[in-house]
Amino acid sequence: MEGICEFMTGTARTLRVATAYYFRNYYRSKSFYLMLIIAILVSVLLTYFSLKYINRLDLIIPKGLLSALGNSGKEEIFGYLWAFVLLDLPVFASVFFGSTAISSEIENKTAFHIFPLPIGRVTLLISKYLAAVAVTFITVLIYVAFQAAVFEYLFPGPLLLPFYQSLGLLLIFVFSITAFTFLISSIFNKNTYAYITVFLIYFLVFNAYEIIVEFLYKTTPYYLLNVAADAMEKVYLNISTNPFSTSSSTFAPATVGTLYTSIGVMVAYAIVSFAAALIIFDRKEVK
């Protein structure tokens, strides 16, 4: 029993040290500063939009609908708009930090120096994954902090519950999209292939599949990661931006069942993708 405890303690210590090492590498990289600039730039643009149109929403939304939404209507509308943009930030961040996690070791020949180490490949990959998740979440938190500050200025008082729900969903989404990028990275030996493949699958394949299924079969493919991620905006208003969507759009938040389904899908993507990445990485040969 003592031997098992010592082994677990040693593994945890190794994992902690390796995670801290990769975290430092990530936040010192050019990718981190690039994502930092992107997050700040997008935040500034949304801040300008919010300040400019806070009293001019009638130019976008009929006055009757605004009245029906009540006092919190404006905050929900702007929350939806901020969340709509937020959907893509974790994808870009995870691609920068996660898609090269394994492929870069092969392409840059650093795997020759890492794989023979006494640190197991599983521990190595978990530490990289946790570091990538942490730095990705920190990057998108800058955007969320801007949103909170703007909303506090425009709508004095406590933030609405959907804000915190969206933040929780964001954290789960970061885990899932990062795991997905790690899976793609484990397949390729070239960084460029990993970058392009993640973008193509998420922004092209998933969206094309969603449109085809909804248009031809009149059903929503809730099992797609991008569809599940939409819950981040639908906690404010249950509106679909897909012109072929079969789900009814309302100015009410998404139902609890919809949120639970989205959470389940994102958790499933995180577990399955990372498990597959572990298997591939553990069997990967260094050439």
Side-chain angles (χ1 to χ4, degrees):
M1 188 67 180
E2 291 182 1
I4 296 177
C5 291
E6 290 179 0
F7 173 77
M8 295 295 293
T9 302
T11 302
R13 186 184 302 111
T14 301
L15 182 62
R16 184 173 64 253
V17 172
T19 301
Y21 170 78
Y22 284 117
F23 180 78
R24 286 194 299 270
N25 283 353
Y26 278 132
Y27 82 74
R28 290 173 178 172
S29 66
K30 293 180 181 179
S31 297
F32 175 76
Y33 291 102
L34 177 59
M35 275 306 308
L36 196 65
I37 293 172
I38 292 175
I40 293 175
L41 178 60
V42 174
S43 300
V44 170
L45 291 174
L46 263 294
T47 299
Y48 171 77
F49 175 83
S50 300
L51 295 176
K52 184 176 179 62
Y53 284 94
I54 182 61
N55 294 317
R56 303 174 65 184
L57 275 179
D58 56 312
L59 298 177
I60 307 173
I61 300 174
K63 292 183 178 180
L65 290 177
L66 285 175
S67 301
L69 286 172
N71 295 330
S72 63
K74 287 185 177 181
E75 188 170 354
E76 291 172 344
I77 292 173
F78 279 104
Y80 178 88
L81 294 174
W82 278 77
F84 178 78
V85 177
L86 178 62
L87 288 174
D88 292 336
L89 281 180
V91 181
F92 283 92
S94 65
V95 167
F96 286 152
F97 303 128
S99 62
T100 61
I102 301 173
S103 58
S104 62
E105 303 290 1
I106 306 298
E107 184 175 4
N108 299 331
K109 306 299 182 182
T110 52
F112 288 103
H113 306 288
I114 293 178
F115 289 171
L117 293 179
I119 300 177
R121 293 193 183 191
V122 173
T123 303
L124 192 68
L125 191 63
I126 292 176
S127 63
K128 273 201 165 190
Y129 174 69
L130 294 177
V133 167
V135 75
T136 297
F137 193 63
I138 289 173
T139 303
V140 296
L141 271 183
I142 295 172
Y143 178 89
V144 175
F146 264 88
Q147 179 185 354
V150 171
F151 278 37
E152 184 64 29
Y153 175 76
L154 296 178
F155 314 105
L159 293 168
L160 296 178
L161 176 61
F163 174 84
Y164 298 102
Q165 292 175 323
S166 183
L167 181 60
L169 291 167
L170 170 64
L171 178 59
I172 299 173
F173 180 57
V174 168
F175 273 97
S176 59
I177 189 63
T178 304
F180 183 72
T181 57
F182 266 63
L183 171 59
I184 301 301
S185 180
S186 68
I187 297 174
F188 296 102
N189 293 336
K190 296 288 186 180
N191 289 342
T192 305
Y193 296 160
Y195 277 122
I196 295 175
T197 302
V198 173
F199 279 126
L200 285 178
I201 292 177
Y202 190 85
F203 289 111
L204 183 61
V205 176
F206 280 177
N207 281 289
Y209 181 86
E210 179 187 0
I211 291 174
I212 291 172
V213 170
E214 296 215 7
F215 181 71
L216 295 180
Y217 302 104
K218 309 302 179 184
T219 184
T220 301
Y222 63 88
Y223 44 83
L224 293 179
L225 183 56
N226 63 322
V227 175
D230 287 344
M232 283 189 287
E233 61 184 10
K234 291 186 176 181
V235 294
Y236 292 99
L237 303 171
N238 192 16
I239 299 175
S240 176
T241 55
N242 183 356
F244 301 104
S245 177
T246 57
S247 58
S248 57
S249 296
T250 66
F251 280 88
T255 63
V256 175
T258 300
L259 297 183
Y260 282 152
T261 299
S262 297
I263 292 173
V265 170
M266 288 190 286
V267 170
Y269 267 87
I271 295 174
V272 173
S273 296
F274 191 69
L278 280 174
I279 294 173
I280 296 174
F281 181 61
D282 191 51
R283 299 182 178 183
K284 202 171 189 68
E285 295 182 1
V286 183
K287 299 180 180 180

